[in-house]
Amino acid sequence: MALVLNKDSAVLQGAFLLADKLCLPSSLSSLQKADWSRVGRPVLEAVREVCGQDEVSASATAVTWTKKLVCAVWLKLLCREYGEDVEMAWRENPFFPLQNGLPEVNHVVLLEVVRSMAAAQAFAHFLLYLPQSQICTELERLVQHVRSSPTREDDVRLFLEVWWELWKGPDEQKAGGDDSIEAMFARQFARLSPKSSGLTPQAAKRLKLDTSDLPGSSPASDVLHIVLHALKDIKDHISTTDLCLQALSISLDAVHTAFLIDQAVVLSTEEKMHILSKVVSIREKNDEKLSPELIREAQRDLRASLTPSQFHPSRVKLGEAMNIITELVQFWQNSGLLKVSCSSNPSYSAFKLQQSVQRVLTALQKVPETMTDMDDQETEKNVLGGLLESLAFPAVESTPEVNARVAAIIISHRLDDYQNFAVLFAGEKTWSAWDERWVDCLQKNQVVFQQCDTLIKLTSTLMRKLHSGSANVNQCRRLMKVIADMFSALSLKDKNTALAAMLRLSSKGFFGCSVSSAVTDGFEQELNMAFNCIIQGGGGAPAAASQGNLNTAVSLVARVAFQNPEAALRSCCHSAIFNKGAFSLMAKILQQLPGLRGLWESETQRDEEERQEAGGDIDEGKGALSGSGLLCRCLQEMINTKSLSANEKEQFLKYLGLLMMPVMTGDGEERMQSFLPPEEVVNVFVLPNLSTGGQSCFDTELSLQLLHTALSADVQEQASSPHWVLDCSPFPLLYVLAQLQSQTLRCWEQPPEGTFHHLSMDTKELLESVLTTLGQLVGAEVAAAPSSWSRALFWLYNKMEELDWTVRFHLKPVWGEHFKNEVPTSLLTVCDLPEQEWSGLDLPQYGQGTGLLAWMECCSVSDSLQSTMLSRLSLDQRKPDHVNMFSKGLLVALTQTLPCCSVSQWTRLLRVLRELISSGRLHVPFSLEYVDYLPLLDLRGFSCELRLSVLLLRVLQLLCGSSCSHWLSADGWAHVGRLYAHAVREMINSVRAKLPLPSSGALTASASTPPKTPASKDSSSSCTSIKTPKMSKASLKDVTQAEGSPLNSKESQMEVEVEMVPSQEVLFVLSQLFCHVQHIQVMMPGGQCEPLFLSSLEILSHYEAIMAAFPGSSSPLESDNTRHFFSTITDNLDNQEMKAVLHQKIAQLVSSAA
């Protein structure tokens, strides 16, 4: 950057030329100090003209021209000392246009210009860009100039100001880059000075000294030695108290930072605030105007006095320094200059000295003995300490209003440490009384306050205002909006931190105590608007909501939640339960806001001070609730005040299920966490409601569903840590579940009035699953530490004596090997069970002949127990009478067991029946009661299905008989119908597996290709032969091929590609199943069992598909007979609608054979 010669430069050059003429017959190059007052006036007048004001001050223009002029004069002086080639100067020296027009000058001119222009700061900043050895050289020249006659107080003041500016170091905020005037001066100085040849231009650009590569440690470059001895020499020329106080303060701070501290002294923001506000109070009383520049300089003064000096002493020692200061104090004290007046306008110098004295006295007490090991040094320390302690200073006070104004200026102008001042500004109780100006500062500087700590302080302040009872409503509403806007600008991570802090402070946020409705109305409106926007924008179809919409919804909820967490959570819960489909979106929103989980009770103690600060006992009870506890409380209130419909219960269940699912937290840690801990759901919604025996508004079925969902949530972080279920009273919970399980075993008995109502069979299924899962979890913990749980284990086992004997088997994982399996004694008569593991119980309801009943009940409990029962069954198959007796007994036992089975239990029993039939242990004679003639078919591949169907028919005939029909209620019969329909579906699927339908291509081929062997009109053929190139052989491997067919012709034997498929057999089996289903539907009370009706339709549909896929499987005559037969069977139904539908379906059974 080159300085262009302009009018202002010409004015300054002319002023110096005029001054040079005034020196005649001498010149400015040989000017004496005493002559400056005579010749320097033109220069000062020119400076005032250039700066555009009467006095040189700190305006931007004045500072710039002051620096330019000092730099130009100094470089002019250096050019004269070292000699400079003009040809090189005009190219490389940016100051050449201004400098070249000046006359030759000497150091007196330079220093007098600095003194007259009050440019000590600029001069010191130029010095800081020089090597330390050169600084010492220039300081020696300054000291020599001050000492030279006449020595005035202005000279002493210049010396002190330069000294202190050196100690303050570069002004970071005003320091420029490589194009700054200081940097350009440093480059020119490095170029001109031969002594600086080792200093590169890059090193000369540095704003701070690096004494490690500068000759600062040599005795010849000890800045502190020079200034202390200079002050000692000129002490006689200090004649005013103010200058004396200033000199002593600077010297004390210099010694303090050079010897007594090795690292920066850290003051709290409050301490800094007290010091700065006192400085402002003093200066305002002395008619100085509060400004950012005033505070910035006060901050620099404070920082310089608390930071180790960059000028490390190498020549002067601590003892010598203390000796000099002691001498100065004694001299000025004897001169009466250290007596500070207690006038109404205190002195800033006196205040600075007071601070310096306090710092030095404190530091002297901490000085290690190694630094003052000599007796004379210890004595010197004591003498200096005594002298300093004897000094008296007037008290300086500041007001909260001044504190607030100072902090506001620091924040508004981003002065040093402004963020910490923002925290102080936000939370100081007395400052907030500054009213509108305080809020104005917040509103104009929102970016500064967008930090979690600051935001919580502001929140506490607002809450105090709201709870004071005399709050300005408009101001509070304005402050609420400002705080909410600040919160909205935070990142999601910071929002969660702030939400957690707010929740610890108060679960009701700003409205912890009674607040004026004028304040709350605005929030209620914002709350309603936020959730209306969310629901209308995607609450009904959360799966289709874009990530952008989700982010917007999260921001809206977070904003209202920060103002009132409880209200926001209540609205979330209301929307999730009562707005169809909104539960998913609400759960996603809360999962993005883990800050609303809050902290557990053990972590809330450390926040008691914050709550007290915000207005004492804000929330009722012991502090604020955790976020999940608050959510549960909101849900409890909601379901206690309104009866939920089935759809609302379903949404409630899904909502909690999603909140219990672990999701990746947004805090940067690879950690999965659920918003709502499963143990809290169990403790809040399950345990109390299961304990009440279903008498609460929260029904038992929903409690079990919640427990199942909680146990399914994979939230266990470490396998080694105890499972969360141990925090939920696991043994009492197991006992309650076992009670329910025991009651469901007599599910169709009419309960006494006022006692526990029956659970549905679906709920019974769920109960079995929950009991098994919980037993496995608790069993694992018991196995890991058996001695810790022995007492609870025996307690639970003893409690089981009150319940049905089968319940203990559901808790087998809990018992482990601690107890024998206790079963009715009658079971031991039909099973060969080892005495080491099994023992008998004498139960009145299990008398003689009930062994198979107990055996069937065991088979239905679990797969493992079923396997044991089958393998240990005592049955001699070589004795027909034993097999007959077993088969009859099993029929009766199955009739007793069937009605109380759940679907899973019934599935196990069907598996047992298949195994018994296949192994020949269960004899089920198959009678042709629905056909007049013996069909010539090979039904051996379907014998299990046919026998099972007949067995179930016999069971239902017994159950529907006069001796048993009164056992069941209408619901019981409906359940039996569902179980039988389940068995029918299993049989149909088994039949399907033995003859899969061909693909559409094969179906087309078979439809267009006549069978190789025509079907017999009298049904004498065993099966139909067709070509099935796409049918897997594996799918037919279980089918037994017909033997002895009369159509064993030579032609069919030669066609190896033709395979025999049992299509006619399948049609026969389906017809038998249809007859059995219709028979049972007619027998059952009511005759309108919908599951059986649907099973009939399924059988007919598959029948029709077989006829279409295999046209030769049924001739037109056979299909006509089948339709007539099926219609006759169906006519027995009472329900006309079912009858009409079945007749319509039967009419479609038309053979497609040619």
Side-chain angles (χ1 to χ4, degrees), residues 1011-1037:
K1012 296 294 182 179
T1013 303
S1016 173
K1017 300 302 180 182
D1018 57 1
S1019 299
S1020 61
S1021 63
S1022 63
C1023 61
T1024 302
S1025 177
I1026 66 171
K1027 184 182 290 186
T1028 56
K1030 294 188 178 182
M1031 187 173 295
S1032 169
K1033 292 183 180 180
S1035 65
L1036 300 175
K1037 66 182 179 181

PDB file of all heavy atoms in Angstrom, residues 1011-1037:
ATOM      1  N   PRO A1011     -56.597 -86.788 -21.299  1.00  0.00           N
ATOM      2  CA  PRO A1011     -55.826 -87.764 -20.523  1.00  0.00           C
ATOM      3  C   PRO A1011     -55.539 -89.014 -21.328  1.00  0.00           C
ATOM      4  O   PRO A1011     -56.315 -89.416 -22.191  1.00  0.00           O
ATOM      5  CB  PRO A1011     -56.745 -88.047 -19.329  1.00  0.00           C
ATOM      6  CG  PRO A1011     -58.115 -87.722 -19.808  1.00  0.00           C
ATOM      7  CD  PRO A1011     -57.958 -86.607 -20.781  1.00  0.00           C
ATOM      8  N   LYS A1012     -54.384 -89.624 -21.036  1.00  0.00           N
ATOM      9  CA  LYS A1012     -54.002 -90.840 -21.753  1.00  0.00           C
ATOM     10  C   LYS A1012     -54.912 -92.008 -21.385  1.00  0.00           C
ATOM     11  O   LYS A1012     -55.168 -92.885 -22.186  1.00  0.00           O
ATOM     12  CB  LYS A1012     -52.545 -91.191 -21.418  1.00  0.00           C
ATOM     13  CG  LYS A1012     -51.542 -90.143 -21.883  1.00  0.00           C
ATOM     14  CD  LYS A1012     -51.492 -90.048 -23.397  1.00  0.00           C
ATOM     15  CE  LYS A1012     -50.466 -89.032 -23.857  1.00  0.00           C
ATOM     16  NZ  LYS A1012     -50.390 -88.930 -25.309  1.00  0.00           N
ATOM     17  N   THR A1013     -55.363 -91.981 -20.138  1.00  0.00           N
ATOM     18  CA  THR A1013     -56.244 -93.053 -19.679  1.00  0.00           C
ATOM     19  C   THR A1013     -57.590 -92.459 -19.337  1.00  0.00           C
ATOM     20  O   THR A1013     -57.682 -91.634 -18.428  1.00  0.00           O
ATOM     21  CB  THR A1013     -55.656 -93.736 -18.435  1.00  0.00           C
ATOM     22  OG1 THR A1013     -54.348 -94.210 -18.765  1.00  0.00           O
ATOM     23  CG2 THR A1013     -56.524 -94.897 -17.989  1.00  0.00           C
ATOM     24  N   PRO A1014     -58.625 -92.763 -20.034  1.00  0.00           N
ATOM     25  CA  PRO A1014     -59.924 -92.155 -19.758  1.00  0.00           C
ATOM     26  C   PRO A1014     -60.436 -92.551 -18.397  1.00  0.00           C
ATOM     27  O   PRO A1014     -60.184 -93.657 -17.914  1.00  0.00           O
ATOM     28  CB  PRO A1014     -60.824 -92.718 -20.869  1.00  0.00           C
ATOM     29  CG  PRO A1014     -60.144 -93.975 -21.301  1.00  0.00           C
ATOM     30  CD  PRO A1014     -58.689 -93.776 -21.132  1.00  0.00           C
ATOM     31  N   ALA A1015     -61.126 -91.645 -17.791  1.00  0.00           N
ATOM     32  CA  ALA A1015     -61.677 -91.918 -16.466  1.00  0.00           C
ATOM     33  C   ALA A1015     -62.809 -92.906 -16.564  1.00  0.00           C
ATOM     34  O   ALA A1015     -63.616 -92.866 -17.475  1.00  0.00           O
ATOM     35  CB  ALA A1015     -62.162 -90.616 -15.832  1.00  0.00           C
ATOM     36  N   SER A1016     -62.886 -93.765 -15.616  1.00  0.00           N
ATOM     37  CA  SER A1016     -63.951 -94.765 -15.583  1.00  0.00           C
ATOM     38  C   SER A1016     -65.252 -94.142 -15.145  1.00  0.00           C
ATOM     39  O   SER A1016     -65.302 -93.355 -14.231  1.00  0.00           O
ATOM     40  CB  SER A1016     -63.548 -95.895 -14.610  1.00  0.00           C
ATOM     41  OG  SER A1016     -64.620 -96.778 -14.447  1.00  0.00           O
ATOM     42  N   LYS A1017     -66.315 -94.504 -15.797  1.00  0.00           N
ATOM     43  CA  LYS A1017     -67.617 -93.920 -15.475  1.00  0.00           C
ATOM     44  C   LYS A1017     -68.144 -94.434 -14.155  1.00  0.00           C
ATOM     45  O   LYS A1017     -68.967 -93.804 -13.531  1.00  0.00           O
ATOM     46  CB  LYS A1017     -68.620 -94.250 -16.593  1.00  0.00           C
ATOM     47  CG  LYS A1017     -68.230 -93.727 -17.950  1.00  0.00           C
ATOM     48  CD  LYS A1017     -68.028 -92.215 -17.989  1.00  0.00           C
ATOM     49  CE  LYS A1017     -67.640 -91.713 -19.347  1.00  0.00           C
ATOM     50  NZ  LYS A1017     -67.403 -90.273 -19.375  1.00  0.00           N
ATOM     51  N   ASP A1018     -67.663 -95.625 -13.734  1.00  0.00           N
ATOM     52  CA  ASP A1018     -68.166 -96.171 -12.475  1.00  0.00           C
ATOM     53  C   ASP A1018     -67.167 -96.009 -11.344  1.00  0.00           C
ATOM     54  O   ASP A1018     -67.210 -96.731 -10.372  1.00  0.00           O
ATOM     55  CB  ASP A1018     -68.502 -97.653 -12.661  1.00  0.00           C
ATOM     56  CG  ASP A1018     -67.310 -98.455 -13.141  1.00  0.00           C
ATOM     57  OD1 ASP A1018     -66.202 -97.862 -13.326  1.00  0.00           O
ATOM     58  OD2 ASP A1018     -67.472 -99.660 -13.315  1.00  0.00           O
ATOM     59  N   SER A1019     -66.271 -95.074 -11.537  1.00  0.00           N
ATOM     60  CA  SER A1019     -65.291 -94.739 -10.506  1.00  0.00           C
ATOM     61  C   SER A1019     -64.451 -95.925 -10.116  1.00  0.00           C
ATOM     62  O   SER A1019     -64.018 -96.074  -8.991  1.00  0.00           O
ATOM     63  CB  SER A1019     -65.986 -94.164  -9.242  1.00  0.00           C
ATOM     64  OG  SER A1019     -66.675 -93.009  -9.568  1.00  0.00           O
ATOM     65  N   SER A1020     -64.244 -96.830 -11.070  1.00  0.00           N
ATOM     66  CA  SER A1020     -63.440 -98.008 -10.752  1.00  0.00           C
ATOM     67  C   SER A1020     -61.954 -97.759 -10.856  1.00  0.00           C
ATOM     68  O   SER A1020     -61.170 -98.558 -10.412  1.00  0.00           O
ATOM     69  CB  SER A1020     -63.841 -99.161 -11.682  1.00  0.00           C
ATOM     70  OG  SER A1020     -63.589 -98.798 -13.007  1.00  0.00           O
ATOM     71  N   SER A1021     -61.583 -96.660 -11.526  1.00  0.00           N
ATOM     72  CA  SER A1021     -60.146 -96.376 -11.653  1.00  0.00           C
ATOM     73  C   SER A1021     -59.609 -95.827 -10.346  1.00  0.00           C
ATOM     74  O   SER A1021     -60.306 -95.155  -9.607  1.00  0.00           O
ATOM     75  CB  SER A1021     -59.897 -95.375 -12.781  1.00  0.00           C
ATOM     76  OG  SER A1021     -60.508 -94.144 -12.484  1.00  0.00           O
ATOM     77  N   SER A1022     -58.344 -96.106 -10.114  1.00  0.00           N
ATOM     78  CA  SER A1022     -57.734 -95.657  -8.864  1.00  0.00           C
ATOM     79  C   SER A1022     -57.311 -94.221  -8.927  1.00  0.00           C
ATOM     80  O   SER A1022     -57.297 -93.538  -7.922  1.00  0.00           O
ATOM     81  CB  SER A1022     -56.537 -96.535  -8.523  1.00  0.00           C
ATOM     82  OG  SER A1022     -55.550 -96.401  -9.512  1.00  0.00           O
ATOM     83  N   CYS A1023     -56.907 -93.772 -10.059  1.00  0.00           N
ATOM     84  CA  CYS A1023     -56.496 -92.356 -10.189  1.00  0.00           C
ATOM     85  C   CYS A1023     -56.499 -91.983 -11.647  1.00  0.00           C
ATOM     86  O   CYS A1023     -56.632 -92.827 -12.523  1.00  0.00           O
ATOM     87  CB  CYS A1023     -55.119 -92.123  -9.567  1.00  0.00           C
ATOM     88  SG  CYS A1023     -53.814 -93.090 -10.337  1.00  0.00           S
ATOM     89  N   THR A1024     -56.342 -90.731 -11.912  1.00  0.00           N
ATOM     90  CA  THR A1024     -56.311 -90.213 -13.269  1.00  0.00           C
ATOM     91  C   THR A1024     -54.876 -90.013 -13.700  1.00  0.00           C
ATOM     92  O   THR A1024     -54.072 -89.452 -12.949  1.00  0.00           O
ATOM     93  CB  THR A1024     -57.060 -88.878 -13.361  1.00  0.00           C
ATOM     94  OG1 THR A1024     -58.395 -89.113 -12.918  1.00  0.00           O
ATOM     95  CG2 THR A1024     -57.088 -88.347 -14.774  1.00  0.00           C
ATOM     96  N   SER A1025     -54.568 -90.443 -14.933  1.00  0.00           N
ATOM     97  CA  SER A1025     -53.204 -90.319 -15.441  1.00  0.00           C
ATOM     98  C   SER A1025     -53.138 -89.149 -16.405  1.00  0.00           C
ATOM     99  O   SER A1025     -53.846 -89.119 -17.408  1.00  0.00           O
ATOM    100  CB  SER A1025     -52.820 -91.615 -16.153  1.00  0.00           C
ATOM    101  OG  SER A1025     -51.537 -91.510 -16.706  1.00  0.00           O
ATOM    102  N   ILE A1026     -52.285 -88.184 -16.082  1.00  0.00           N
ATOM    103  CA  ILE A1026     -52.089 -87.029 -16.973  1.00  0.00           C
ATOM    104  C   ILE A1026     -50.617 -86.705 -17.058  1.00  0.00           C
ATOM    105  O   ILE A1026     -49.814 -87.130 -16.240  1.00  0.00           O
ATOM    106  CB  ILE A1026     -52.879 -85.795 -16.483  1.00  0.00           C
ATOM    107  CG1 ILE A1026     -52.314 -85.328 -15.147  1.00  0.00           C
ATOM    108  CG2 ILE A1026     -54.345 -86.061 -16.395  1.00  0.00           C
ATOM    109  CD1 ILE A1026     -52.874 -84.020 -14.724  1.00  0.00           C
ATOM    110  N   LYS A1027     -50.269 -85.947 -18.083  1.00  0.00           N
ATOM    111  CA  LYS A1027     -48.873 -85.524 -18.259  1.00  0.00           C
ATOM    112  C   LYS A1027     -48.636 -84.243 -17.467  1.00  0.00           C
ATOM    113  O   LYS A1027     -49.343 -83.259 -17.667  1.00  0.00           O
ATOM    114  CB  LYS A1027     -48.585 -85.285 -19.742  1.00  0.00           C
ATOM    115  CG  LYS A1027     -47.124 -84.942 -20.015  1.00  0.00           C
ATOM    116  CD  LYS A1027     -46.894 -84.659 -21.481  1.00  0.00           C
ATOM    117  CE  LYS A1027     -47.016 -85.924 -22.300  1.00  0.00           C
ATOM    118  NZ  LYS A1027     -46.671 -85.712 -23.713  1.00  0.00           N
ATOM    119  N   THR A1028     -47.663 -84.280 -16.603  1.00  0.00           N
ATOM    120  CA  THR A1028     -47.341 -83.093 -15.779  1.00  0.00           C
ATOM    121  C   THR A1028     -45.850 -82.805 -15.855  1.00  0.00           C
ATOM    122  O   THR A1028     -45.087 -83.081 -14.927  1.00  0.00           O
ATOM    123  CB  THR A1028     -47.734 -83.328 -14.316  1.00  0.00           C
ATOM    124  OG1 THR A1028     -47.075 -84.525 -13.874  1.00  0.00           O
ATOM    125  CG2 THR A1028     -49.226 -83.501 -14.155  1.00  0.00           C
ATOM    126  N   PRO A1029     -45.409 -82.240 -16.990  1.00  0.00           N
ATOM    127  CA  PRO A1029     -43.962 -82.026 -17.152  1.00  0.00           C
ATOM    128  C   PRO A1029     -43.387 -81.013 -16.176  1.00  0.00           C
ATOM    129  O   PRO A1029     -42.213 -81.049 -15.879  1.00  0.00           O
ATOM    130  CB  PRO A1029     -43.843 -81.519 -18.593  1.00  0.00           C
ATOM    131  CG  PRO A1029     -45.188 -80.940 -18.887  1.00  0.00           C
ATOM    132  CD  PRO A1029     -46.173 -81.778 -18.149  1.00  0.00           C
ATOM    133  N   LYS A1030     -44.170 -80.105 -15.652  1.00  0.00           N
ATOM    134  CA  LYS A1030     -43.636 -79.061 -14.779  1.00  0.00           C
ATOM    135  C   LYS A1030     -43.815 -79.362 -13.302  1.00  0.00           C
ATOM    136  O   LYS A1030     -43.471 -78.551 -12.466  1.00  0.00           O
ATOM    137  CB  LYS A1030     -44.303 -77.721 -15.108  1.00  0.00           C
ATOM    138  CG  LYS A1030     -43.954 -77.203 -16.485  1.00  0.00           C
ATOM    139  CD  LYS A1030     -44.466 -75.789 -16.686  1.00  0.00           C
ATOM    140  CE  LYS A1030     -44.072 -75.268 -18.045  1.00  0.00           C
ATOM    141  NZ  LYS A1030     -44.522 -73.889 -18.240  1.00  0.00           N
ATOM    142  N   MET A1031     -44.350 -80.498 -13.016  1.00  0.00           N
ATOM    143  CA  MET A1031     -44.602 -80.818 -11.609  1.00  0.00           C
ATOM    144  C   MET A1031     -43.383 -81.519 -11.030  1.00  0.00           C
ATOM    145  O   MET A1031     -42.806 -82.408 -11.645  1.00  0.00           O
ATOM    146  CB  MET A1031     -45.834 -81.709 -11.486  1.00  0.00           C
ATOM    147  CG  MET A1031     -46.259 -81.953 -10.040  1.00  0.00           C
ATOM    148  SD  MET A1031     -47.802 -82.828  -9.971  1.00  0.00           S
ATOM    149  CE  MET A1031     -48.883 -81.610 -10.687  1.00  0.00           C
ATOM    150  N   SER A1032     -42.979 -81.085  -9.842  1.00  0.00           N
ATOM    151  CA  SER A1032     -41.807 -81.645  -9.180  1.00  0.00           C
ATOM    152  C   SER A1032     -42.086 -83.055  -8.700  1.00  0.00           C
ATOM    153  O   SER A1032     -43.137 -83.332  -8.129  1.00  0.00           O
ATOM    154  CB  SER A1032     -41.415 -80.763  -7.986  1.00  0.00           C
ATOM    155  OG  SER A1032     -40.461 -81.415  -7.203  1.00  0.00           O
ATOM    156  N   LYS A1033     -41.130 -83.943  -8.933  1.00  0.00           N
ATOM    157  CA  LYS A1033     -41.272 -85.303  -8.418  1.00  0.00           C
ATOM    158  C   LYS A1033     -41.210 -85.319  -6.900  1.00  0.00           C
ATOM    159  O   LYS A1033     -41.835 -86.139  -6.250  1.00  0.00           O
ATOM    160  CB  LYS A1033     -40.174 -86.195  -8.992  1.00  0.00           C
ATOM    161  CG  LYS A1033     -40.298 -86.439 -10.480  1.00  0.00           C
ATOM    162  CD  LYS A1033     -39.223 -87.396 -10.956  1.00  0.00           C
ATOM    163  CE  LYS A1033     -39.342 -87.653 -12.454  1.00  0.00           C
ATOM    164  NZ  LYS A1033     -38.301 -88.591 -12.929  1.00  0.00           N
ATOM    165  N   ALA A1034     -40.437 -84.374  -6.376  1.00  0.00           N
ATOM    166  CA  ALA A1034     -40.294 -84.337  -4.918  1.00  0.00           C
ATOM    167  C   ALA A1034     -41.607 -84.050  -4.240  1.00  0.00           C
ATOM    168  O   ALA A1034     -41.869 -84.497  -3.132  1.00  0.00           O
ATOM    169  CB  ALA A1034     -39.258 -83.285  -4.518  1.00  0.00           C
ATOM    170  N   SER A1035     -42.443 -83.257  -4.931  1.00  0.00           N
ATOM    171  CA  SER A1035     -43.730 -82.918  -4.325  1.00  0.00           C
ATOM    172  C   SER A1035     -44.661 -84.108  -4.286  1.00  0.00           C
ATOM    173  O   SER A1035     -45.679 -84.079  -3.608  1.00  0.00           O
ATOM    174  CB  SER A1035     -44.390 -81.772  -5.098  1.00  0.00           C
ATOM    175  OG  SER A1035     -44.690 -82.205  -6.398  1.00  0.00           O
ATOM    176  N   LEU A1036     -44.336 -85.141  -5.055  1.00  0.00           N
ATOM    177  CA  LEU A1036     -45.221 -86.298  -5.087  1.00  0.00           C
ATOM    178  C   LEU A1036     -44.600 -87.533  -4.440  1.00  0.00           C
ATOM    179  O   LEU A1036     -45.133 -88.625  -4.532  1.00  0.00           O
ATOM    180  CB  LEU A1036     -45.551 -86.650  -6.563  1.00  0.00           C
ATOM    181  CG  LEU A1036     -46.235 -85.553  -7.366  1.00  0.00           C
ATOM    182  CD1 LEU A1036     -46.373 -85.996  -8.822  1.00  0.00           C
ATOM    183  CD2 LEU A1036     -47.583 -85.223  -6.794  1.00  0.00           C
ATOM    184  N   LYS A1037     -43.427 -87.360  -3.799  1.00  0.00           N
ATOM    185  CA  LYS A1037     -42.713 -88.524  -3.298  1.00  0.00           C
ATOM    186  C   LYS A1037     -43.440 -89.216  -2.161  1.00  0.00           C
ATOM    187  O   LYS A1037     -43.190 -90.391  -1.884  1.00  0.00           O
ATOM    188  CB  LYS A1037     -41.305 -88.115  -2.862  1.00  0.00           C
ATOM    189  CG  LYS A1037     -41.285 -87.177  -1.664  1.00  0.00           C
ATOM    190  CD  LYS A1037     -39.865 -86.787  -1.318  1.00  0.00           C
ATOM    191  CE  LYS A1037     -39.840 -85.839  -0.139  1.00  0.00           C
ATOM    192  NZ  LYS A1037     -38.470 -85.449   0.190  1.00  0.00           N
TER     193      LYS A1037
END
